[in-house]
């Protein structure tokens, strides 16, 4: 009755190994292709092998690989954020830190409770937890890969020097994680930013497009946050039901009916359903949570630039009125104006792209979600019907 | 009772212990009997015990209604009104649970129990009684086996429905309609409809248990009392949990009746017939925990527990040992499984709640999305998730009612089966005791022979004959109960397989239905998702 569903830990293998465009739609361009070809999980860190294929003249070779860790990705992301040149672009969100703690804890607990379970129960639970660990691992690899691909696909960011160093330099980048002082600085910066953000948001924009985008993004971001949290909860309870029920369905068949055991593959399918939902729905929402935050950040930067521009205008008027430092005020005003217009122009394009990307990603994932749910439901149905057939015929 | 347990540990030989205990318990029972007599104002013949009868089948008044038996029914040669310890499946924690249900102790109108022969409540110990009991059934055990083969002609349908609340406040109770449809000839009509309350069911069970348990028949246990559930209903809370509770109880009562009539011997029992047919039933006050009968039950239970510890049976038949072990294991596993299913149901309810909240969230997201096609698709997704949530809720019901209740029933049934094995053990012990007595009497007679006391010698010889008869009777009883148990266990196992199969099939069918619905929903959603431009 296993019918190839008994893939054990590898039940995610049916996903395409191609460019892991799980959440974003990317135009893979021959001039620069980046992917993560391998990953190694050590005690408390994950080592990613970043593989690049490029025809660009900037690189020494056409194809090369380096090993990177999570902190180095974060360093790259922060360097983009801090770069004033990129103020007008949506910076691709940084990948989340690999978090195996929960899974490791569960495995540990399982090991401790080994004595109290039958051997079969133990091996089954162990398999399931290992599968979960593997799934988390695959996901974190995917997240890091998506980040790199987004950068590589962006017409401006792909030319960034730091990015090239990241891809090519085969020694350790010696990027240390932020120490306490820097983390505190970051914290304060964020506080200032959010306070500022509120002020900036309050300023009504002359441009309709941006005004609309602002209100839209604010609301959208909140709703995505909510949906993401709720989908997480739903999938968790889906999973827990599965993990729990196998422990009782399996091995507890004192009754002269092995049917309790034939229900086991059904439960297995439900596990895959949960895993797929996780991938297609929850991850999608999480990713767009981060992306919409990045878009909001862009709008914030633009708003900041606008505020600066307006202040510069006011200062210029004041200077003209007092007839003091007019030239300086004029140059400041010019700079601010340019900055603002540059940001506005690129921001407009970025936001339109964002919408296109978002719609495409949602479409892809929703379609795949529906197809997978259908596939699993049909599989379940088949299993159940054959089980019923056996039972009914067995008088 | 605790001092008795201490006594148990202190005395040396098991025999002596048992006898001492029997005496103590008898005395305490007499005391309680007197108490219940005064309370129920019944004219009981307190001399229920005759000396020299050291039987461990503790005799006590099971219910005050037996007290109403007219004096003619109690023949001088019989051992007086007796009853077996019963309700071995009562939840020990729940003994006082019924206290709130019926506190009124006024003696209601009672009819004498219908029967063909002497009152069925009387436990026949003498050969006279056994044969009369056979008359009551109008058949021999062998005929039962024939009946089992003709199971296809078994045609009786019972339904328990329409729970109605009668009365108010703490004296309120639920009344259920019991409808019997049958073509069997022992019933007076094709279709009978009566109203019964929960204590009536309990009363029926206690009567059946007292009559048949000791013969080795597995009497299906009645549903459990529940103080929490009933109090809620009485207080008048019309919330979901009390509705669920009533529904659970109703279906449990229905299954109980169906199981009872499936048993070929029980089906013909006059008490069962009366229960199903007569419009008025004497109220079973004896099922109350605080009644005299309730306290006697507790005392009996203590006696049983002690006996179990002390009787060491020489099992000559490996079949019984094997079966007992099997049932022990089955018991443990069923309980575990039952607990697991109940928590599975909890999880499913949790999943349903989370799905519903996600659906709402997705709908909100759809609203704020400004791309129209995507917005529509997200709203559709929300709808699909809502419908799935409904499916999950229904599934939780299916999980629970079908499997969990069945498991609960079987956990209780296994307790009844174990009780039957215990009865066999008791029968054996009785037989052993009789043999010991016989030996003693023979020794006494030998001594008297040497002492040359002719009149006492005659008495001794009479006693020896009497005890020889008892030994024979004991051995016959033991054989009979062993045979009955074998047959009953065979029937039980067949029924068990059937019951579980039926329930599993139903459960799988409901799962199939769920999956089919899910397929429908996702198929409807797919084009919407694809239509996002």
């Amino acid at each position: 009755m296993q019918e190839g569903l008994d893939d054990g830990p590898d039940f995610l293998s049916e996903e395409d190994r191609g460019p892991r465009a799980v959440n974003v739609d990317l135009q893979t361009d021959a001039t620069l292709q980046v992917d993560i070809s391998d990953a190694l999980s050590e005690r408390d860190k994950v080592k990613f092998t970043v593989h690049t294929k490029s025809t660009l003249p900037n690189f020494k070779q056409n194809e090369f690989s380096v090993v990177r860790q999570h902190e180095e990705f974060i360093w790259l992301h922060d360097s983009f954020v801090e770069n004033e040149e990129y103020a007008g672009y949506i910076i691709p969100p940084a990948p989340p830190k690999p978090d195996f703690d929960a899974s490791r804890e569960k495995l540990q607990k399982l090991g401790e409770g080994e004595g109290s379970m039958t051997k079969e129960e133990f091996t089954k639970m162990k398999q399931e937890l290992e599968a979960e660990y593997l799934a988390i691992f695959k996901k974190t690899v995917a997240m890091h890969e998506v980040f790199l691909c987004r950068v590589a696909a962006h017409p401006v960011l792909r030319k960034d020097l730091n990015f090239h160093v990241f891809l090519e330099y085969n020694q350790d980048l010696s990027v240390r994680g932020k120490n306490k002082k820097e983390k505190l600085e970051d914290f304060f910066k964020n506080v200032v930013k959010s306070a500022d953000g509120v002020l900036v948001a309050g300023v009504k924009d002359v441009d309709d497009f941006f005004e609309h985008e602002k209100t839209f993004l604010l609301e959208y971001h909140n709703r995505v946050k909510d949906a993401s949290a709720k989908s997480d909860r739903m999938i968790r309870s889906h999973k827990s039901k599965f993990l729990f029920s196998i422990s009782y369905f399996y091995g507890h068949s004192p009754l002269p009916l092995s049917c309790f055991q034939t229900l086991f593959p059904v439960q297995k399918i439900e596990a895959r359903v949960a895993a797929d939902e996780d991938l297609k729905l929850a991850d999608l929402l999480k990713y767009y949570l981060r992306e919409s935050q990045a878009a909001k950040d862009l709008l914030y930067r633009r708003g900041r630039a606008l505020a600066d521009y307006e202040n510069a205008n006011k200062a210029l008027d004041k200077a003209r009125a007092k007839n003091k430092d007019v030239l300086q005020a004029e140059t400041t005003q010019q700079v601010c104006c340019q900055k603002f217009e540059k940001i506005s122009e690129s921001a407009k394009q970025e936001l339109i792209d964002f919408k296109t990307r978002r719609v495409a990603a949602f479409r892809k994932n929703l379609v795949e979600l529906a197809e997978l749910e259908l596939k699993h439901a049909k599989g379940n149905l088949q299993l159940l019907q054959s089980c019923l057939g056996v039972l009914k015929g067995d008088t | 009772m605790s001092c008795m347990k201490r006594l148990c540990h202190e005395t040396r030989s098991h025999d002596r212990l048992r006898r001492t205990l029997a005496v103590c318990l008898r005395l305490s029972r007499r005391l309680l009997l007197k108490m219940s007599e005064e309370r129920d104002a019944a004219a009981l013949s307190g001399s229920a015990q005759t000396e020299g009868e050291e039987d461990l089948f503790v005799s006590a008044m099971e219910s005050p209604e037996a007290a109403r038996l007219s004096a003619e029914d109690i023949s001088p040669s019989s051992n007086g009104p007796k009853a077996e310890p019963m309700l071995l499946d009562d939840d020990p924690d729940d003994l006082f649970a019924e206290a709130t249900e019926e506190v009124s102790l006024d003696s209601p109108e009672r009819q004498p129990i219908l029967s063909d022969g002497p009152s069925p409540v009387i436990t026949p110990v003498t050969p006279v009684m056994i044969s009369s009991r056979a008359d009551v059934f109008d058949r021999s055990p062998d005929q039962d086996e024939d009946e089992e083969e003709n199971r296809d002609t078994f045609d009786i349908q019972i339904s328990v429905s329409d729970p109605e609340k009668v009365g108010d406040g703490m004296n309120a109770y639920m009344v259920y309609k019991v409808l019997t449809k049958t073509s069997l000839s022992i019933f007076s009509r094709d279709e009978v409809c009566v109203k019964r309350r929960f204590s009536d069911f309990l009363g029926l069970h206690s009567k059946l248990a007292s009559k048949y348990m000791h013969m080795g028949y597995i009497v299906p246990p009645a549903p459990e009392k529940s103080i929490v559930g009933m109090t809620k209903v009485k207080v008048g809370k019309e919330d979901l949990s009390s509705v669920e509770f009533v529904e659970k109880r109703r279906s449990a009562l229905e299954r109980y009746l169906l199981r009872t009539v499936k048993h070929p011997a029980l089906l013909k029992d006059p008490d069962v017939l009366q229960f199903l047919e007569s419009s008025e039933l004497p109220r079973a006050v004896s099922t109350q925990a605080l009644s005299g009968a309730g306290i006697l039950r507790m005392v009996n239970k203590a006696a049983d527990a002690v006996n179990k510890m002390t009787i060491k049976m020489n099992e000559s038949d490996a079949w019984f040992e094997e079966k007992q072990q099997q049932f022990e294991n089955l018991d443990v596993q069923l309980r575990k499984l039952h607990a697991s299913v109940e928590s599975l149901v909890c999880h499913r309810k949790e999943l349903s709640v989370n799905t519903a909240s996600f659906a709402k969230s997705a709908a909100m997201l759809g609203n704020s999305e400004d791309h129209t096609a995507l917005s529509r698709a997200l709203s559709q997704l929300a709808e699909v998730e809502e419908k799935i949530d409904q499916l999950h809720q229904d599934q939780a019901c299916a999980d629970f009612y079908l499997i969990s209740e069945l498991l609960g029933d079987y956990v209780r049934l296994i307790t009844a089966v174990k009780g039957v094995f215990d009865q066999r053990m008791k029968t054996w012990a009785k037989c052993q005791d009789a043999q010991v007595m016989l030996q003693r009497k023979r020794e006494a007679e030998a001594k008297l022979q040497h002492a040359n006391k002719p009149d006492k010698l005659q008495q001794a010889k009479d006693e020896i004959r009497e005890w020889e008869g008892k030994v024979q009777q004991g051995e016959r009883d033991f054989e009979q109960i062993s045979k009955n148990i074998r047959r009953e266990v065979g029937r039980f196992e067949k029924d068990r397989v059937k019951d579980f199969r039926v329930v599993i099939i139903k459960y799988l069918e409901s799962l199939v239905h769920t999956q089919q619905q899910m397929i429908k929903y996702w198929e409807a959603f797919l084009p919407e998702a694809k239509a996002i431009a």
Side-chain angles (χ1 to χ4, degrees):
Chain A
M1 280 253 183
Q2 299 300 329
E3 298 178 331
L5 293 166
D6 195 15
D7 295 336
D10 207 20
F11 60 64
L12 288 182
S13 63
E14 53 193 292
E15 298 304 323
D16 43 328
R17 269 316 262 123
R20 280 200 152 269
V22 179
N23 294 323
V24 291
D25 198 16
L26 304 168
Q27 307 93 328
T28 38
D29 182 357
T31 55
L32 181 62
Q33 267 179 320
V34 185
D35 67 272
I36 296 185
S37 57
D38 198 7
L40 192 65
S41 165
E42 283 177 9
R43 194 147 234 332
D44 53 353
K45 51 191 170 199
V46 184
K47 293 207 166 105
F48 303 95
T49 308
V50 179
H51 168 249
T52 319
K53 251 208 255 193
S54 171
T55 55
L56 289 176
N58 321 51
F59 299 110
K60 293 194 196 87
Q61 298 164 303
N62 277 355
E63 193 169 338
F64 47 89
S65 292
V66 291
V67 177
R68 291 285 172 249
Q69 288 183 32
H70 175 72
E71 288 78 19
E72 290 161 327
F73 285 78
I74 301 298
W75 164 81
L76 184 62
H77 173 260
D78 289 347
S79 76
F80 289 148
V81 170
E82 286 158 11
N83 191 334
E84 283 284 334
E85 290 291 305
Y86 302 140
Y89 307 117
I90 296 182
I91 310 293
K97 189 168 161 61
D99 181 22
F100 297 104
D101 285 346
S103 188
R104 230 175 254 142
E105 212 179 283
K106 274 194 232 168
L107 270 169
Q108 201 178 16
K109 261 197 215 135
L110 181 68
E112 282 166 16
E114 181 173 356
S116 62
M117 288 190 246
T118 68
K119 191 160 178 297
E120 303 135 336
E121 275 177 24
F122 180 72
T123 40
K124 278 291 162 185
M125 288 231 65
K126 187 152 171 281
Q127 265 183 8
E128 283 316 318
L129 284 179
E130 280 175 352
E132 198 181 299
Y133 190 92
L134 194 66
I136 297 178
F137 187 70
K138 282 188 176 170
K139 252 210 280 195
T140 189
V141 167
M143 292 286 133
H144 285 74
E145 196 177 58
V146 157
F147 170 70
L148 290 178
C149 292
R150 281 266 276 125
V151 175
H154 195 282
V156 175
L157 291 177
R158 77 199 326 219
K159 300 189 196 130
D160 183 74
L161 187 62
N162 282 337
F163 184 49
H164 290 179
V165 168
F166 178 92
L167 288 176
E168 209 179 3
Y169 188 59
N170 55 8
Q171 305 281 334
D172 191 3
L173 284 175
S174 305
V175 169
R176 55 171 177 73
K178 298 195 167 159
N179 64 14
K180 275 206 194 118
K181 179 160 171 283
E182 284 168 348
K183 282 197 185 146
L184 204 58
E185 278 176 4
D186 270 351
F187 174 71
F188 279 124
K189 259 196 245 171
N190 275 334
V191 170
V192 168
K193 191 166 121 186
S194 36
D196 214 9
V198 172
L199 286 170
V200 165
V203 174
K204 181 144 173 36
D205 205 318
V206 180
D207 192 333
D208 274 341
F209 173 79
F210 283 103
E211 185 57 32
H212 166 81
E213 285 294 312
K214 202 160 54 177
T215 28
F216 164 72
L217 266 178
L218 237 69
E219 194 187 52
Y220 188 77
H221 177 79
N222 287 336
R223 301 246 171 113
V224 166
K225 201 177 342 190
D226 188 49
S228 173
K230 300 259 164 73
S231 77
D232 265 350
R233 263 219 298 271
M234 174 177 86
I235 288 166
R236 244 205 317 274
S237 49
H238 212 150
K239 272 186 183 155
S240 76
K241 171 177 84 123
F242 164 72
L243 277 178
F244 167 76
S245 51
I246 51 157
S247 67
Y248 94 82
F249 267 141
Y250 191 84
H252 280 294
S253 45
L255 316 158
L257 298 168
S258 48
C259 271
F260 269 144
Q261 281 189 325
T262 58
L263 285 178
F264 179 63
V266 168
Q267 297 293 338
K268 222 178 177 185
I269 293 186
E270 292 209 33
R272 301 175 83 132
V273 169
D276 286 335
E277 278 180 2
D278 198 12
L279 217 55
K280 300 293 166 191
L281 198 56
D283 280 354
L284 173 74
L285 290 171
K286 269 193 241 164
Y287 189 79
Y288 275 91
L289 180 61
R290 291 200 298 273
E291 273 259 6
S292 56
Q293 182 62 47
K296 266 172 68 180
D297 288 345
L298 170 64
L299 280 180
Y300 163 73
R301 288 196 291 271
R302 179 178 169 279
R304 201 38 293 142
L306 178 62
D308 286 344
Y309 180 38
E310 286 183 353
N311 286 342
N313 271 339
K314 284 197 202 118
L316 182 61
D317 288 341
K318 249 205 289 194
R320 282 202 181 125
K322 287 196 198 155
N323 212 352
K324 197 169 112 178
D325 291 328
V326 175
L327 195 61
Q328 196 185 16
E330 269 182 2
T331 33
T332 324
Q333 195 253 23
Q334 281 281 13
V335 164
C336 282
C337 179
Q338 268 173 344
K339 185 166 158 202
F340 173 68
E341 274 170 10
K342 182 166 147 217
I343 290 183
S344 282
E345 200 185 302
S346 59
K348 196 166 196 166
Q349 191 54 46
E350 286 282 312
L351 288 168
I352 291 173
D353 284 346
F354 172 62
K355 181 162 171 178
T356 326
R357 255 202 325 271
R358 185 177 77 237
V359 171
F362 268 83
R363 180 182 188 280
K364 180 167 182 287
N365 281 304
L366 287 178
V367 167
E368 285 178 1
L369 176 71
E371 284 173 350
L372 279 168
E373 294 264 6
L374 269 175
K375 176 169 150 209
H376 292 317
K378 286 188 180 149
N380 257 346
L381 186 66
Q382 208 179 24
L383 259 179
L384 288 168
Q385 277 171 335
S386 67
C387 196
L388 262 179
V390 166
L391 259 186
K392 281 187 176 162
D394 175 40
T395 342
Chain B
M1 297 298 137
S2 56
C3 62
M4 268 176 244
K5 286 217 172 104
R6 246 182 287 139
L7 199 64
C8 169
H9 291 297
E10 284 163 6
T11 23
R12 248 161 258 156
S13 85
H14 287 322
D15 281 345
R16 209 186 328 145
L17 156 70
R18 269 189 287 126
R19 247 157 253 150
T20 330
L21 276 172
V23 168
C24 293
L25 289 168
R26 220 185 303 143
L27 288 173
S28 61
R29 248 171 241 125
R30 279 226 199 104
L31 203 61
L32 286 167
L33 244 181
K34 288 246 151 60
M35 281 167 48
S36 67
E37 274 177 42
E38 289 157 16
R39 247 196 291 165
D40 298 341
L44 272 180
S45 56
S47 54
Q49 307 293 336
T50 47
E51 280 314 319
E53 273 253 325
E54 307 194 76
D55 68 23
L56 299 162
F57 288 28
V58 181
S59 323
M61 278 316 298
E62 183 254 7
S63 61
E65 49 200 300
R68 300 284 169 140
L69 291 171
S70 46
E72 302 92 72
D73 282 353
I74 304 173
S75 50
S77 62
S78 83
N79 298 323
K82 279 193 191 158
E84 288 308 335
M86 75 230 67
L87 291 181
L88 298 170
D89 52 292
D90 248 358
D91 184 5
D93 301 331
D94 219 16
L95 277 176
F96 286 90
E98 277 278 15
T100 50
E101 265 200 35
E102 303 167 48
V103 185
S104 57
L105 295 171
D106 47 311
S107 21
E109 291 299 301
R110 287 183 225 271
Q111 310 161 1
I113 298 172
L114 305 169
S115 60
D116 298 345
S119 166
V121 174
I122 296 180
T123 304
V125 177
T126 63
V128 176
M129 300 309 271
I130 280 188
S131 54
S132 58
R133 196 162 8 106
D135 293 336
V136 166
F137 296 137
D138 206 17
R139 69 215 265 116
S140 69
D142 296 324
Q143 282 181 2
D144 275 348
E145 291 182 59
D146 292 329
E147 186 68 15
E148 299 209 14
E149 283 153 25
N150 299 336
R151 206 61 92 84
D152 320 285
T153 60
F154 183 82
D155 173 24
I156 177 168
Q157 286 170 341
I158 302 189
S159 74
V160 174
S161 54
D162 301 339
E164 266 173 46
K165 186 161 161 205
V166 170
D168 237 342
M170 291 314 278
N171 286 332
Y173 56 91
M174 298 297 286
V175 163
Y176 303 88
K177 186 170 88 165
V178 177
L179 173 66
T180 315
K181 282 195 208 156
T182 177
S183 61
L184 293 174
S185 52
I186 41 171
F187 286 91
S188 54
R189 296 198 290 283
D190 279 353
E191 211 175 290
V192 193
C193 181
V194 293
K195 284 205 167 12
R196 294 282 176 259
R197 53 184 293 188
F198 185 65
S199 54
D200 292 336
F201 288 84
L202 292 182
L204 174 67
H205 170 82
S206 73
K207 281 187 224 155
L208 293 177
S210 69
K211 283 194 268 181
Y212 299 104
M213 272 292 239
H214 70 91
M215 291 213 302
Y217 286 4
I218 300 173
V219 176
E224 284 174 348
K225 302 181 196 164
S226 161
I227 191 171
V228 174
M230 267 324 281
T231 319
K232 266 203 210 158
V233 169
K234 284 190 225 253
V235 161
K237 268 178 122 194
E238 274 301 321
D239 66 349
L240 192 63
S241 63
S242 60
V243 168
E244 269 181 26
F245 170 77
V246 171
E247 173 54 34
K248 242 171 74 168
R249 180 163 273 196
R250 182 207 66 78
S251 79
L253 290 173
E254 195 173 271
R255 287 194 308 271
Y256 164 66
L257 282 182
L258 281 169
R259 273 205 192 96
T260 309
V261 297
K262 258 208 281 197
H263 192 301
L266 295 182
L267 175 56
K268 311 244 176 203
D269 183 274
D271 280 324
V272 170
L273 293 174
Q274 184 199 30
F275 182 89
L276 290 175
E277 287 189 320
S278 75
S279 46
E280 279 301 314
L281 202 65
R283 214 169 76 164
V285 179
S286 62
T287 56
Q288 293 168 31
L290 282 183
S291 62
I295 296 191
L296 286 170
R297 268 204 297 275
M298 265 167 52
V299 169
N300 288 338
K301 256 191 164 161
D304 284 346
V306 168
N307 281 336
K308 241 185 142 161
M309 287 194 278
T310 59
I311 297 178
K312 288 237 156 51
M313 180 167 163
N314 296 334
E315 188 55 80
S316 51
D317 195 342
W319 184 91
F320 282 92
E321 212 171 301
E322 209 182 282
K323 281 295 165 184
Q324 266 191 294
Q325 193 54 46
Q326 263 183 25
F327 281 115
E328 282 294 324
N329 294 343
L330 191 58
D331 191 20
V332 165
Q333 283 178 320
L334 275 182
R335 278 176 203 271
K336 265 207 268 186
L337 197 54
H338 188 205
S340 302
V341 171
E342 298 216 307
S343 92
L344 176 68
V345 169
C346 272
H347 272 93
R348 238 206 243 273
K349 287 198 175 145
E350 187 192 316
L351 176 60
S352 155
V353 163
N354 287 341
T355 310
S357 82
F358 172 70
K360 282 203 197 84
S361 182
M364 296 269 285
L365 188 63
N367 280 343
S368 66
E369 175 64 62
D370 60 355
H371 186 270
T372 20
L374 179 56
S375 166
R376 200 172 46 237
L378 282 172
S379 313
Q380 286 282 55
L381 179 69
E383 262 182 53
V384 167
E385 294 286 347
E386 248 179 69
K387 288 192 214 156
I388 290 183
D389 162 46
Q390 193 53 50
L391 277 180
H392 281 145
Q393 276 183 32
D394 294 341
Q395 190 64 56
C397 282
D399 284 347
F400 183 71
Y401 275 136
L402 292 186
I403 295 189
S404 172
E405 288 285 274
L406 181 75
L407 285 175
D409 282 353
Y410 267 88
V411 163
R412 281 195 298 274
L413 260 173
I414 298 245
T415 318
V417 171
K418 289 206 284 195
V420 151
F421 277 98
D422 290 342
Q423 289 288 347
R424 179 172 170 271
M425 211 165 64
K426 276 203 234 167
T427 316
W428 179 86
K430 189 166 170 241
C431 187
Q432 291 298 97
D433 284 349
Q435 282 182 341
V436 164
M437 252 338 250
L438 179 64
Q439 188 61 29
R440 257 211 230 138
K441 296 292 177 190
R442 284 206 175 123
E443 284 168 5
E445 191 232 5
K447 268 195 217 143
L448 283 177
Q449 284 228 330
H450 289 295
N452 201 16
K453 286 190 188 150
D455 48 339
K456 284 225 174 116
L457 198 62
Q458 186 54 42
Q459 185 190 29
K461 283 205 191 324
D462 285 340
E463 283 181 349
I464 286 180
R465 256 202 303 281
E466 185 193 333
W467 278 98
E468 276 174 352
K470 287 213 176 111
V471 164
Q472 278 180 348
Q473 182 57 44
E475 285 171 352
R476 265 204 298 270
D477 280 348
F478 184 70
E479 264 178 48
Q480 185 64 38
I481 196 177
S482 300
K483 198 164 99 170
N484 284 346
I485 289 184
R486 276 180 196 266
R487 201 184 53 237
E488 285 289 293
V489 166
R491 206 174 60 84
F492 172 79
E493 305 216 300
K494 261 202 293 186
D495 281 348
R496 180 181 80 162
V497 171
K498 251 203 292 190
D499 274 352
F500 274 96
R501 197 166 147 272
V502 163
V503 163
I504 297 287
I505 287 180
K506 267 209 225 134
Y507 177 65
L508 287 181
E509 282 176 349
S510 87
L511 277 184
V512 162
H513 177 255
T514 309
Q515 295 300 322
Q516 283 169 334
Q517 285 297 102
M518 286 199 39
I519 289 177
K520 258 209 296 210
Y521 297 150
W522 286 109
E523 276 179 347
F525 174 71
L526 194 56
E528 279 290 339
K530 288 198 170 140
I532 303 172

